[in-house]
Amino acid sequence: MVAASAGRFSEAGQAQLAEIVSHYPDPGGAILPALWLAQREYGGWLPADAIAEVAARLGRPASEIQGVATFYTMYNTQQRGRRHIEVCTCLTCGCLGAYEVIDRLEQILGIHLGQTTADGEFTLTEAECLNYCEAATVVQVGERYFGGVNAENAADLVARLRGSEGCTPESLSNAIVEAIVPGRNAGATHG
Amino acid sequence: MNDSKLVNVTINGVPLQVPKGERIIESARRAGIDIPYFCYHPRLSMENGANCRMCLVEMAMPRTGPDGTVTLAKHPKPQTACSLPADEGMVVETETEAIVKARRGVLEFLLINHPLDCPVCDRGGECPLQNNTLHYGAGASRYIEAKRHYPKAYPLSEHVVLDRERCIQCARCTRFTQDISGDAQLDFLKRGADTQIGTFNAAAFSSLFSGNTIEICPVGALTSRDYRFRARPWDLATQKSICTECSNGCSIKLDHRDGLVLRVNGRVNEAVNEEWTCDRGKFGLPASISGERLTAPLLRDGDRFREVTWDVALGVVAEKLQAAGKQAAVLAGSKLANEDLYALQALCRGGLGSVRYDYRMGTQSSEARDAAAMLFGPNPAPTGIAGLEASPWTLVVGSDLAVEHPIVFLRLRKSWRFGKSKALEMVSSSAPANTHVGAFAWSSVRYADRGLPESLRSACSLLLAEMPGLTATPEIRAWAATGTPPADDTASRRMATALSTGPGTILVGEGALSGPDWREVLVALGHLAGLTGSTGSVNRLVSGCNDRGAEALGFGDWQPGTAGILAGAASGATPALWIAGADPVTQYHDPQVAIAALEQASFVVVSDIKLTATARMADVVLPSCSVAERDGTLTNVEGRVQRFWKAFEPRGSASPDWLIAARLLQRLGKPSVWFGWQDVLADMRSHVAAFGGVSLDALEKDGAMLVAPQVVD
Amino acid sequence: MGNPVTATRETWGPIAQGMALTLKHFTQMIVARDKTSVTVQYPEERREQYPRTRWRHALTRHEDGLEKCIGCSLCAGACPARCIYVEAAENSDERRFSPGERFAARYEINMLRCIFCGYCQEACPTGAITLRKDFELADHHRADFLYTKQMLLEPTPAPGAAG
């Protein structure tokens, strides 16, 4: 067990965690938001240390926290590239060319589905329904959705991502934490 | 939770009265109605239960309509009987067409990813999944796609092997580690078809109780490394026994084949271990009695031993003992049965006129023992193991409870889990940061080296401050006031709040009273017990398997004790020494003293099951029997005398120690009337008051308690 | 007593009939070598055993030479005479006897106890134990009737031998 004091949570992060925990009758209820917080504090993914720190801070068994973290696919238990491109391949997107988008992105990035580019910039994975079917094919990168992606404009998307702010696993985590703890901006590490 | 109110339910047309809130699966079982299940376990919580869906039943409840008519409203979906609380008027059907079909479907689903490698699986032959499939499943599966595959035999720990393909995600093992042992090492990782049991970060499954998960696994997903492929269930014979690895005296089953104990499983004994075992017993017991065993008496011949007949060996021993007379001494091991100990003391006192017999290998003093008896009453464990459940608070001092007394620990944890007890702990600051009791303790107070008396004193002082109205003599107040304030103030204050709630239980480990400061500890304990009104529930926990039996039979009464016996052996004052089942060379607290004494001793006979380091230094070595090869009784930490049964024949000509003693008595011209172990027990019952209540009938059940000696003023 | 002629006929007649039959078979056997005769000249000649004859056990191998027996002990469980003893052990990549995790470290049949019922063959999940047609199982010492795994196991196919 890693002592909480040995963790990497920033002061602001600790304050936010305290706020989150105060919303629940039992610290066990705060596991999901605490994991988002940890994903932000640990740079966009949840290494074992992050899980151990959440466990110590919530007073829950580390095995349980890891169970939760591996259950939900939106937590990154492996390190992702700086841009995690998730292409929806559910029914609508799948019918409207998601697989062509994936083929094109694989070609542009030079990687296969589930891989990360050698420079650590992009990771490409499939996603289940992102609930934005009217704009199929939908691609999620970090906290942002990109609708109407097709094989033709995929290259533009990649080019646009290279220059954009945010859209990282970290900023996604931060956005979610901000939504849970409204009005507290102190912990934001990205604008 | 259940309350005592009874409600009327009908299961398969059988009207029953059951406690309100009782789970239907339990009501049905009591009524003799079979509901199949995998994940349900009466001792595990339902919070993460109802996973396997095997116990589906149809249920209807009476509903009063707007016009006052009562109709039976059937629940549209089948319900899991393991999570269905009984309520007034409930009507349950377990064998309808829909349920039979649902069970078949559930089993087909469970078997989709199950490898069906029953012929090579250690669970095959005693597997609930096999049995239920045979009784309730379809003959064939319609699933033709590829099954899930993982590497076989993933080592979760040195004892537990995980086969992820076989797992049906019932969560029994995860709930065991969360609810019962409390280490919460196991949980489900990933999800869907990828769900698997695992530890955090794939660390070793390091629990003191991991073996129980093997037993409760309803499939062959968790198997034992030691038992792996050693036998199939139909190759084994099973005998009831008692674990000898610590003083808790768990009821166990020995599964044996060809004179080898292959595995140990828990046996239900609600008074002691419920159904659990610890890893030390489960894996340690078979190891401790297997391996190279003594099969014939050995006589020293220069630097070597030569095999001799019992006649020759006993002739030599009897001659030496006779010559030594009342200077002769006996050191008894902690795993000897009550019968052995009784026969040994009969040999000493009756046969030789000697009072030099002892069992202690540590620094426990008989003075401390007697003083404690004066302070807290003659019964060293008045609360008992099951009694912990009713105690509002339990203070543990001087013991790493989970390691020394694993089953007492489980009971303490159970009592805390059901909200009945606050666990309090005083632990040395040299102990690890996360103690086992500390994980759930209401308060865990740390004290510096030798600081236990001070820690107890400050607890008294805080308690007096907490409860100004407490009756206490000025002497006690003055004593309490002179103490140094505790280093760990918060924990101490928190402990005082628990102590102030009334009488509770104090568990005193052997370590607390065997140090040089035992007087101070005892005084402080006496005051604390007196102030909290717990004088009658101070439990002194002994560590060795049958130490309670040895004490009850007068071992350790002779004041110089083991130290005196060893000193006598070294100086020649003890010309003949019989070490029965003990190994002072490795067990005595100062091994150098023991080794020196054995080197200088004029005659040492050792009876043991293996050629121990002590036996190697002996003049005569006699082969004796382990717990699996003989009948007898053992006394556990709470003074419960429990019977164990012979599982298979002894090796070679090995013989239990009581029989060796009986043969020696015969040679000394004082024959006993013992022809079997029952004769020794009968003798013991009529001559030792403590064993007066031990009847064979009680021994067939949960065992019989020692009778505490009456205090005569 | 009765008529001596009748007595002679009643006594000697059947004997003559019987001897005639014997003589007929004898000549058929020795002289005519008639294939319909039931006696064979054992041990020089052996009768063809029926296809489902159950005699001596054999432990068979897979085509790649690995043992079929996985040491599951189901044969021992099925055996009504309790004459099979199996001790299993774990295969390792260095020492592999059978496919999968488990193999029979010891496999013994007490042929004095065996009643050749074939239940073991029926219980075997891998078709490892089979009862073959070798029926000449007599021996001189009791201990020799304890057939070990080495005795029961089929020889390894010669390296390079097809299939």
Side-chain angles (χ1 to χ4, degrees):
Chain A
M1 184 83 84
V2 176
S5 53
R8 268 172 53 181
F9 272 34
S10 61
E11 298 245 323
Q14 290 179 36
Q16 283 179 319
L17 182 66
E19 157 104 40
I20 291 167
V21 168
S22 73
H23 295 176
Y24 300 91
D26 181 325
I31 292 177
L32 292 180
L35 281 172
W36 280 117
L37 193 54
Q39 187 157 306
R40 184 191 76 194
E41 300 283 314
Y42 278 79
W45 70 297
L46 293 170
D49 287 350
I51 287 167
E53 185 171 353
V54 171
R57 289 193 184 278
L58 298 181
R60 304 295 304 182
S63 60
E64 180 186 352
I65 307 295
Q66 193 167 39
V68 173
T70 52
F71 185 91
Y72 294 104
T73 53
M74 285 171 77
Y75 295 118
N76 297 327
T77 46
Q78 287 155 358
Q79 190 153 19
R80 304 289 189 185
R82 215 165 71 79
R83 314 286 182 187
H84 184 189
I85 303 175
E86 297 175 84
V87 185
C88 173
T89 53
C90 251
L91 189 66
T92 317
C93 294
C95 291
L96 293 173
Y99 291 98
E100 286 140 41
V101 172
I102 288 176
D103 287 347
R104 181 76 186 114
L105 284 170
E106 283 182 340
Q107 202 183 346
I108 297 166
L109 300 171
I111 53 173
H112 288 294
L113 206 59
Q115 291 179 335
T116 303
T117 52
D119 58 358
E121 192 67 18
F122 294 101
T123 301
L124 180 64
T125 61
E126 277 180 284
E128 293 308 318
C129 184
L130 296 171
N131 200 11
Y132 191 27
C133 308
E134 64 269 38
T137 295
V138 183
V139 171
Q140 182 182 4
V141 186
E143 72 279 19
R144 288 197 57 183
Y145 274 15
F146 297 91
V149 183
N150 52 40
E152 285 73 50
N153 61 19
D156 298 343
L157 173 67
V158 173
R160 196 168 142 197
L161 283 172
R162 281 190 200 276
S164 69
E165 289 280 302
C167 298
T168 64
E170 233 169 323
S171 62
L172 166 69
S173 309
N174 187 52
I176 291 172
V177 173
E178 292 297 316
I180 299 165
V181 194
R184 294 229 181 188
N185 220 16
T189 50
H190 294 273
Chain B
M1 284 311 294
N2 299 349
D3 53 39
S4 53
K5 194 178 157 227
L6 292 179
V7 292
N8 294 298
V9 300
T10 310
I11 305 179
N12 290 358
V14 182
L16 296 171
Q17 279 204 316
V18 301
K20 183 175 162 69
E22 184 184 60
R23 302 180 211 163
I24 287 298
I25 199 167
E26 286 164 5
S27 315
R29 184 140 64 151
R30 270 195 289 113
I33 296 163
D34 187 32
I35 298 179
Y37 59 86
F38 297 108
C39 72
Y40 162 75
H41 191 287
R43 292 181 217 275
L44 298 179
S45 80
M46 281 309 301
E47 278 164 34
N48 298 311
N51 299 308
C52 73
R53 319 308 291 177
M54 190 64 204
C55 63
L56 293 174
V57 293
E58 285 194 295
M59 183 269 277
M61 283 295 287
R63 181 186 292 162
T64 313
D67 54 349
T69 53
V70 178
T71 51
L72 210 53
K74 190 175 156 215
H75 202 279
K77 285 183 180 177
Q79 301 289 298
T80 48
C82 70
S83 62
L84 187 61
D87 207 348
E88 183 60 42
M90 186 179 276
V91 177
V92 175
E93 288 293 334
T94 72
E95 297 296 336
T96 61
E97 207 177 308
I99 291 302
V100 168
K101 194 174 169 213
R103 283 179 189 153
R104 259 209 302 274
V106 167
L107 276 167
E108 194 174 0
F109 269 124
L110 288 179
L111 291 175
I112 275 183
N113 270 321
H114 190 83
L116 291 171
D117 56 349
C118 307
V120 297
C121 173
D122 275 337
R123 204 78 163 120
E126 52 178 16
C127 174
L129 185 58
Q130 263 188 336
N131 294 347
N132 281 339
T133 304
L134 194 66
H135 284 279
Y136 303 102
S141 171
R142 291 169 291 177
Y143 183 79
I144 49 165
E145 290 80 2
K147 294 193 180 218
R148 149 188 86 176
H149 282 295
Y150 290 113
K152 287 277 190 187
Y154 176 79
L156 267 188
S157 74
E158 59 169 322
H159 295 306
V160 185
V161 178
L162 169 66
D163 187 317
R164 284 167 286 185
E165 296 178 351
R166 294 182 192 146
C167 179
I168 59 165
Q169 284 90 39
C170 73
R172 271 188 170 190
C173 56
T174 64
R175 284 182 288 155
F176 175 84
T177 66
Q178 287 154 9
D179 300 345
I180 309 294
S181 68
D183 43 56
Q185 294 248 324
L186 296 182
D187 211 322
F188 285 127
L189 305 177
K190 305 194 180 174
R191 70 165 159 187
D194 293 332
T195 309
Q196 51 179 280
I197 294 295
T199 52
F200 169 62
N201 215 15
F205 175 29
S206 61
S207 167
L208 296 167
F209 304 95
S210 64
N212 292 297
T213 59
I214 298 169
E215 254 182 89
I216 59 175
C217 180
V219 295
L222 295 172
T223 52
S224 158
R225 169 58 65 190
D226 297 353
Y227 174 67
R228 190 169 167 78
F229 299 163
R230 294 289 296 279
R232 308 309 303 271
W234 53 88
D235 295 328
L236 296 169
T238 301
Q239 183 57 283
K240 295 188 280 184
S241 193
I242 299 294
C243 181
T244 56
E245 296 304 293
C246 82
S247 63
N248 292 187
C250 290
S251 293
I252 53 169
K253 287 180 282 192
L254 299 180
D255 284 346
H256 58 96
R257 183 188 193 191
D258 301 331
L260 275 180
V261 172
L262 294 188
R263 67 174 174 183
V264 166
N265 279 339
R267 179 158 63 91
V268 174
N269 185 343
E270 298 295 345
V272 183
N273 55 321
E274 301 191 291
E275 67 183 77
W276 312 120
T277 54
C278 73
D279 286 2
R280 181 145 58 108
K282 196 178 186 68
F283 304 113
L285 179 64
S288 76
I289 63 179
S290 61
E292 193 151 336
R293 292 277 299 269
L294 291 168
T295 53
L298 303 173
L299 190 64
R300 179 163 291 285
D301 188 359
D303 288 345
R304 303 176 51 200
F305 285 114
R306 136 175 92 85
E307 275 193 18
V308 291
T309 60
W310 275 95
D311 210 38
V312 172
L314 289 176
V316 174
V317 175
E319 188 189 316
K320 294 284 185 183
L321 286 178
Q322 184 118 48
K326 60 183 179 186
Q327 308 293 319
V330 167
L331 271 182
S334 65
K335 291 185 184 181
L336 294 191
N338 294 321
E339 289 73 25
D340 299 329
L341 296 165
Y342 180 72
L344 287 173
Q345 65 85 31
L347 175 77
C348 279
R349 293 161 66 102
L352 303 164
S354 164
V355 292
R356 298 179 178 184
Y357 47 94
D358 209 317
Y359 72 95
R360 287 166 297 179
M361 293 290 146
T363 52
Q364 318 96 304
S365 79
S366 21
E367 274 180 279
R369 193 185 74 187
D370 296 343
M374 298 269 282
L375 271 174
F376 307 119
N379 185 352
T383 309
I385 295 173
L388 288 178
E389 286 190 42
S391 173
W393 54 262
T394 303
L395 171 63
V396 183
V397 296
S399 174
D400 187 351
L401 204 62
V403 175
E404 288 171 35
H405 302 282
I407 294 304
V408 177
F409 167 81
L410 286 188
R411 199 59 86 117
L412 178 63
R413 194 173 186 287
K414 180 184 178 192
S415 144
W416 163 79
R417 182 159 76 96
F418 290 115
K420 290 181 201 150
S421 180
K422 290 188 171 79
L424 312 170
E425 183 188 42
M426 283 193 189
V427 60
S428 162
S429 47
S430 60
N434 301 307
T435 61
H436 293 93
V437 174
F440 61 91
W442 170 258
S443 165
S444 184
V445 173
R446 296 263 161 177
Y447 57 81
D449 190 34
R450 298 270 158 77
L452 180 58
E454 273 310 306
S455 185
L456 287 164
R457 186 184 346 219
S458 71
C460 289
S461 153
L462 289 168
L463 182 63
L464 283 167
E466 181 92 8
M467 300 178 78
L470 212 58
T471 333
T473 62
E475 288 81 22
I476 292 179
R477 285 183 187 279
W479 169 83
T482 53
T484 46
D488 191 354
D489 196 46
T490 332
S492 301
R493 280 183 194 285
R494 198 168 151 80
M495 182 176 286
T497 60
L499 293 174
S500 66
T501 53
T505 304
I506 302 177
L507 301 179
V508 187
E510 208 163 68
L513 294 179
S514 32
D517 60 346
W518 64 265
R519 284 185 184 80
E520 291 79 26
V521 174
L522 215 48
V523 167
L525 269 176
H527 288 325
L528 184 65
L531 288 174
T532 55
S534 318
T535 309
S537 48
V538 177
N539 298 267
R540 286 95 78 197
L541 306 178
V542 290
S543 295
C545 165
N546 200 17
D547 285 0
R548 269 304 298 279
E551 275 187 22
L553 287 163
F555 280 73
D557 284 355
W558 187 55
Q559 213 53 263
T562 308
I565 290 170
L566 289 175
S571 69
T574 303
L577 170 60
W578 178 5
I579 302 176
D583 186 10
V585 170
T586 57
Q587 293 166 341
Y588 193 60
H589 64 91
D590 190 348
Q592 287 314 316
V593 169
I595 292 168
L598 289 170
E599 274 170 357
Q600 286 155 31
S602 45
F603 179 76
V604 177
V605 50
V606 171
S607 60
D608 212 321
I609 61 170
K610 292 182 181 176
L611 195 63
T612 59
T614 303
R616 281 176 210 284
M617 301 176 73
D619 298 293
V620 178
V621 181
L622 303 173
S624 80
C625 298
S626 79
V627 70
E629 294 133 32
R630 48 172 300 197
D631 292 278
T633 61
L634 288 162
T635 313
N636 82 346
V637 65
E638 55 168 353
R640 182 178 299 276
V641 182
Q642 302 185 96
R643 178 168 178 198
F644 56 88
W645 284 259
K646 177 176 174 176
F648 45 82
E649 291 300 319
R651 309 280 175 93
S653 64
S655 159
D657 287 275
W658 70 261
L659 191 54
I660 303 175
R663 289 181 191 161
L664 286 170
L665 274 169
Q666 184 127 29
R667 281 170 187 269
L668 293 171
K670 302 194 171 143
S672 68
V673 290
W674 307 325
F675 296 98
W677 72 278
Q678 295 101 325
D679 299 329
V680 191
L681 179 65
D683 227 5
M684 185 158 61
R685 210 162 50 217
S686 51
H687 287 103
V688 185
F691 286 87
V694 179
S695 69
L696 284 174
D697 280 351
L699 289 177
E700 292 291 329
K701 297 181 191 118
D702 284 353
M705 299 303 283
L706 286 181
V707 182
Q710 296 299 309
V711 186
V712 183
D713 289 325
Chain C
M1 292 296 286
N3 187 337
V5 177
T6 318
T8 307
R9 198 170 65 228
E10 283 179 358
T11 308
W12 293 104
I15 291 177
Q17 266 178 10
M19 291 308 288
L21 189 69
T22 306
L23 195 69
K24 184 181 138 206
H25 280 248
F26 183 76
T27 48
Q28 274 175 353
M29 242 336 254
I30 299 297
V31 184
R33 283 286 191 193
D34 188 341
K35 292 294 179 233
T36 61
S37 79
V38 287
T39 310
V40 293
Q41 292 304 307
Y42 181 83
E44 290 81 15
E45 278 177 42
R46 278 148 211 241
R47 177 169 291 142
E48 174 64 18
Q49 301 279 311
Y50 286 104
R52 285 196 277 173
T53 308
R54 298 189 302 258
W55 287 113
R56 189 189 190 280
H57 310 69
L59 286 170
T60 56
R61 291 181 188 270
H62 288 286
E63 286 174 0
D64 58 2
L66 286 176
E67 295 161 17
K68 281 189 183 171
C69 179
I70 51 171
C72 73
S73 216
L74 279 168
C75 46
C79 180
R82 290 268 173 274
C83 69
I84 307 181
Y85 179 89
V86 186
E87 253 182 41
E90 191 162 4
N91 279 314
S92 62
D93 287 336
E94 297 79 47
R95 276 167 56 80
R96 176 159 292 282
F97 295 88
S98 64
E101 296 174 275
R102 183 173 177 139
F103 75 97
R106 273 175 75 181
Y107 193 105
E108 288 166 10
I109 301 183
N110 183 345
M111 287 303 222
L112 286 174
R113 280 203 195 172
C114 178
I115 57 169
F116 302 99
C117 64
Y119 281 12
C120 48
Q121 182 174 340
E122 211 155 306
C124 185
T126 62
I129 184 95
T130 49
L131 275 72
R132 295 276 167 83
K133 294 175 183 174
D134 320 327
F135 57 89
E136 293 146 306
L137 304 172
D139 221 322
H140 296 281
H141 301 286
R142 281 178 169 271
D144 295 337
F145 286 94
L146 233 138
Y147 283 25
T148 61
K149 185 181 166 195
Q150 280 320 306
M151 294 161 77
L152 293 166
L153 199 59
E154 280 188 334
T156 320

